[in-house]
Amino acid sequence: MTRTERKFIFKNIKPYIPRYILYVFLVMLMSVFSICSILSLNNFLQILFIEDSSASVTELDKLLNNIYGYFLTFGKQNALIYFTIIVLVIYFLKDLFEWLAEYYMGCTRNKITRNIRNNIFQCFVTRDLSFFTKHKKGDLLSRISSDVIEYDETVLKSIATIINSVVVVILYLGILFYIEWKLTLVTIVLFPIVIIVTSTLSHRLKSNSKRLQKTNGVIVSVIEQTIGGLRIIKSLTAIEYVNKIFKKINNDFTTLRNTVYRRIEFASPLSEVLSSIVVAVILLIGCNEVISGNGLTSTMFIVYLILFILIIKPAKDASTASYKIKKGLASIERIMEIENDENTIKEPIKSKEFPQITKGISFNNVSFSYEKGVPVLKNVSCLFEKGKTTAIVGPSGSGKTTMIDLIEKFYLADSGEICFDEVSIRDISSYKIRDNISIVSQETILVNDSIKNNIAFGNTAYSFEQIQKAAQIANAEEFIVSLPEQYETNIGDKGDKLSGGQKQRIAIARAVLRNTDILILDEATSALDNKSEVLVQEALDNISQNRTVIVIAHRLSTIKNADKIIVLDHGEIKEQGTHQELYEKQGLYYNLYTMQEL
């Protein structure tokens, strides 16, 4: 294990060190009661069946003999019953402390994995988009789900097992040395052989994890939805909103895991209690046989054998746990890779305020590539004028969406400058930029919540009247009032209960509510039928007035009235002008337009 891996483990465990100390204390109590139950057996049987117990010379033996001698004043038969009850009580206390130890450790492990999962999710929503071009979505989902579980099952659980085993082995070895140190030295040498033999006969408890897997699927669903719509979430500056949703589900998952852990860990002490009852019954029968004179004797060697048998399992578990920790190091590396990944976009140390735009958004010889040597934009220069509508058109892969991503500071240009009026985009924080831009895209991000909350999308400052007014401007109230619960109607996962046009009008209402001066329309009507497109286009016309509007469109008929059209091809601006100017020029735009007309 490397130093970095040790630091990672300690960083996660550090807040819960008091719980680990409590765990050690409970394990010690469990072990003490277990040892007491076995040692007391020897002393009691000596007094019960052997007249002369003067061979007991230690202070502990003398104390126990005096106690057991008191019980004998009630008669041997009654003393036997009392002693059986005492043994059962001791075993019950041992099993109780064992259950408490495992339960508290299970809750602690759950909280550690919850924190790790929250940290990874925070990394997902705060990393720039280049991070998601480096990693596959499925791999990211695996890291926050299966890798975190693997870390819990292999590393955290193994650490608890080693702590438990070390405490138990030390205490038991101390008693074994107390009984017979020479024999104990021999047993230490023979321990590896004994472990190999007994391991073939042992069976590990297998838990049913179906309920946990189902709840884990909900978490994965939220993560997938968030990553898929991260561009919109960042544009709406709703990171805290989605974080709140995720943390609630994750806390519910943690509560469920605590319940399952409580039931799983109860299986072991329950089986111990049942075994204890069997031992008590056998003890009662066996001692009656001794009293009746059938020749059975009680010796310290029997006590020694019992202790020896009990020490085998924790010693074997420690060896297995050590192997599992090595197995879990891969999950640590994958989690650390996410946490240690730094954003390629460095925010300014002291961000300038977003300006009150009077001129517009300018591109000055901007070049950009996702990978070195593969340019997406080449020396692009243009101006998106304040208060006017500018459309960006061109063949697929020409760089239209890339220009929008650069405006929202999802990426930084390799060269050239993007400015809001005269202020460079590099001098303004990404949050302030996105907080002043509204976007309506082809893919609308909706959450499993009410229509009202989807329009507000995490901002609780809006009143219901403001939300209703935004819906009216977006032509959305028409269908909202027809729903059973109107604005309180739950729209299902990803808005599955709504049509495509209804989803788009919710997104437009969201943009209206934000009331920013800059509006980006990214293929907002491309996936709609003709009737829905008319309603959505009317809503877009309503919110576009007196705003700086940037439109990406494949349907060129929808941007005929734009103040300016920029024609991109292979990352370069080929033409600029109004629809009429470009049509009469009969260049690339003319070819694209006539092709669609045909």
Side-chain angles (χ1 to χ4, degrees):
M1 186 185 300
T2 65
R3 180 182 178 185
T4 304
E5 290 164 343
R6 287 195 299 269
K7 287 178 64 177
F8 176 84
I9 294 173
F10 180 74
K11 178 188 70 174
N12 294 315
I13 290 178
K14 185 178 179 181
Y16 302 100
I17 287 179
R19 283 178 169 261
Y20 277 89
I21 294 174
L22 175 61
Y23 178 67
V24 171
F25 179 69
L26 292 172
V27 171
M28 290 178 65
L29 288 177
M30 175 200 73
S31 302
V32 167
F33 277 104
S34 177
I35 292 170
C36 285
S37 64
I38 298 168
L39 287 180
S40 62
L41 173 64
N42 173 69
N43 292 86
F44 184 81
L45 293 181
Q46 281 185 3
I47 292 181
L48 188 63
F49 300 128
I50 303 174
E51 294 296 331
D52 183 13
S53 59
S54 59
S56 300
V57 294
T58 66
E59 293 300 324
L60 176 61
D61 288 331
K62 291 178 181 179
L63 175 63
L64 292 174
N65 288 342
N66 290 334
I67 294 173
Y68 302 142
Y70 170 77
F71 285 109
L72 286 173
T73 60
F74 298 99
K76 289 188 176 182
Q77 293 291 342
N78 291 332
L80 182 60
I81 294 173
Y82 295 150
F83 175 70
T84 303
I85 295 173
I86 291 173
V87 170
L88 287 174
V89 171
I90 292 175
Y91 267 104
F92 172 76
L93 291 174
K94 178 189 83 73
D95 295 331
L96 174 64
F97 286 120
E98 180 182 7
W99 176 75
L100 288 173
E102 296 303 327
Y103 171 67
Y104 277 110
M105 183 49 58
C107 293
T108 302
R109 286 167 46 203
N110 275 335
K111 290 182 178 182
I112 292 173
T113 53
R114 177 199 62 187
N115 294 343
I116 294 174
R117 208 178 280 113
N118 283 338
N119 289 340
I120 297 176
F121 189 82
Q122 180 73 15
C123 290
F124 284 170
V125 296
T126 55
R127 294 291 182 266
D128 54 58
L129 294 184
S130 62
F131 172 82
F132 299 96
T133 62
K134 295 188 297 183
H135 299 282
K136 295 180 180 179
K137 188 188 338 182
D139 181 60
L140 294 177
L141 296 180
S142 174
R143 295 181 193 227
I144 199 171
S145 55
S146 60
D147 281 335
V148 174
I149 293 174
E150 174 76 2
Y151 172 71
D152 174 41
E153 291 294 327
T154 57
V155 178
L156 294 179
K157 189 174 183 179
S158 295
I159 290 174
T161 300
I162 290 175
I163 292 174
N164 184 309
S165 299
V166 169
V167 172
V168 171
V169 168
I170 289 175
L171 290 177
Y172 275 59
L173 279 177
I175 296 300
L176 289 177
F177 272 105
Y178 167 80
I179 296 172
E180 176 53 66
W181 67 270
K182 293 180 181 179
L183 188 57
T184 303
L185 290 176
V186 175
T187 58
I188 291 176
V189 174
L190 295 176
F191 237 104
I193 300 175
V194 175
I195 290 174
I196 294 173
V197 174
T198 56
S199 63
T200 59
L201 303 176
S202 63
H203 298 278
R204 296 186 64 84
L205 179 65
K206 295 182 180 179
S207 61
N208 189 334
S209 59
K210 289 183 178 179
R211 290 178 62 200
L212 280 178
Q213 290 174 345
K214 182 178 179 180
T215 309
N216 188 56
V218 176
I219 290 180
V220 173
S221 175
V222 173
I223 297 166
E224 183 179 6
Q225 176 180 292
T226 302
I227 294 176
L230 197 56
R231 179 181 282 107
I232 304 302
I233 292 170
K234 285 178 174 287
S235 297
L236 297 170
T237 59
I239 289 176
E240 289 302 318
Y241 175 62
V242 295
N243 261 330
K244 184 178 179 181
I245 294 175
F246 180 82
K247 287 180 179 179
K248 181 183 182 304
I249 298 174
N250 196 20
N251 282 333
D252 292 342
F253 178 79
T254 302
T255 302
L256 177 58
R257 286 201 83 187
N258 283 339
T259 302
V260 174
Y261 263 116
R262 185 165 60 247
R263 294 177 180 176
I264 292 174
E265 300 303 342
F266 184 70
S268 177
L270 179 61
S271 64
E272 289 287 342
V273 170
L274 296 175
S275 299
S276 301
I277 295 174
V278 174
V279 170
V281 172
I282 294 174
L283 180 61
L284 182 61
I285 296 173
C287 288
N288 277 317
E289 290 293 315
V290 172
I291 293 173
S292 63
N294 288 337
L296 290 177
T297 59
S298 173
T299 67
M300 184 60 78
F301 182 67
I302 294 177
V303 174
Y304 186 95
L305 287 178
I306 295 174
L307 289 170
F308 174 73
I309 292 171
L310 292 177
I311 206 174
I312 292 174
K313 185 180 181 300
K316 185 189 67 175
D317 288 346
S319 176
T320 304
S322 177
Y323 168 79
K324 282 190 173 183
I325 288 179
K326 294 179 181 178
K327 180 175 177 286
L329 294 181
S331 63
I332 294 179
E333 292 177 3
R334 286 168 56 81
I335 293 171
M336 287 195 303
E337 186 177 341
I338 298 296
E339 293 187 351
N340 296 336
D341 192 288
E342 295 184 358
N343 279 333
T344 57
I345 297 178
K346 302 299 181 183
E347 299 290 355
I349 297 175
K350 188 175 182 181
S351 172
K352 293 184 178 180
E353 293 299 320
F354 193 86
Q356 290 289 336
I357 294 179
T358 57
K359 179 181 176 183
I361 306 169
S362 59
F363 277 60
N364 304 308
N365 295 316
V366 171
S367 295
F368 176 77
S369 60
Y370 293 104
E371 297 179 6
K372 292 184 178 180
V374 185
V376 179
L377 295 178
K378 308 171 188 175
N379 298 319
V380 172
S381 295
C382 62
L383 175 65
F384 299 94
E385 295 183 65
K386 173 183 170 55
K388 295 186 177 181
T389 298
T390 304
I392 307 174
V393 302
S396 296
S398 57
K400 303 185 294 296
T401 300
T402 301
M403 289 187 70
I404 299 301
D405 288 345
L406 291 174
I407 290 173
E408 292 200 85
K409 204 176 180 180
F410 291 139
Y411 303 96
L412 285 177
D414 298 335
S415 62
E417 200 69 67
I418 300 174
C419 296
F420 296 93
D421 276 1
E422 304 302 326
V423 182
S424 172
I425 195 172
R426 299 176 187 272
D427 297 330
I428 311 174
S429 72
S430 57
Y431 179 90
K432 290 181 179 179
I433 292 172
R434 296 163 195 164
D435 199 39
N436 284 275
I437 298 175
S438 296
I439 184 167
V440 181
S441 66
Q442 177 182 355
E443 183 182 0
T444 304
I445 301 300
L446 300 173
V447 296
N448 196 344
D449 206 338
S450 66
I451 288 178
K452 180 184 70 176
N453 289 341
N454 269 279
I455 294 176
F457 206 68
N459 193 326
T460 57
Y462 298 124
S463 67
F464 175 74
E465 289 72 21
Q466 289 175 302
I467 293 173
Q468 188 176 35
K469 181 65 175 177
Q472 291 170 353
I473 296 174
N475 287 341
E477 192 172 52
E478 170 193 353
F479 76 85
I480 293 175
V481 295
S482 66
L483 297 174
E485 299 179 55
Q486 298 189 2
Y487 283 86
E488 297 297 332
T489 301
N490 187 288
I491 61 175
D493 191 28
K494 299 183 180 180
D496 289 341
K497 298 179 182 179
L498 303 179
S499 68
Q502 291 171 338
K503 292 178 184 180
Q504 284 297 78
R505 281 178 276 173
I506 293 294
I508 295 169
R510 189 185 288 165
V512 172
L513 197 60
R514 286 171 61 83
N515 193 31
T516 60
D517 290 333
I518 301 173
L519 175 64
I520 296 175
L521 307 177
D522 187 358
E523 307 284 0
T525 62
S526 63
L528 304 178
D529 57 64
N530 292 334
K531 182 179 179 180
S532 297
E533 182 179 0
V534 171
L535 292 171
V536 171
Q537 190 61 53
E538 182 181 341
L540 292 175
D541 292 339
N542 291 339
I543 68 171
S544 297
Q545 298 176 14
N546 302 319
R547 283 184 169 87
T548 304
V549 182
I550 304 172
V551 183
I552 295 179
H554 278 151
R555 296 185 186 181
L556 302 186
S557 58
T558 62
I559 47 95
K560 289 173 63 176
N561 297 325
D563 296 298
K564 181 169 64 175
I565 299 173
I566 297 173
V567 185
L568 281 177
D569 187 30
H570 293 95
E572 297 180 302
I573 295 180
K574 298 298 184 181
E575 300 171 337
Q576 294 188 61
T578 64
H579 166 76
Q580 191 62 34
E581 291 170 349
L582 296 177
Y583 188 84
E584 292 176 354
K585 188 177 180 180
Q586 296 192 359
L588 177 60
Y589 178 81
Y590 174 83
N591 293 334
L592 293 172
Y593 187 83
T594 54
M595 187 179 299
Q596 287 193 5
E597 289 292 301
L598 291 175

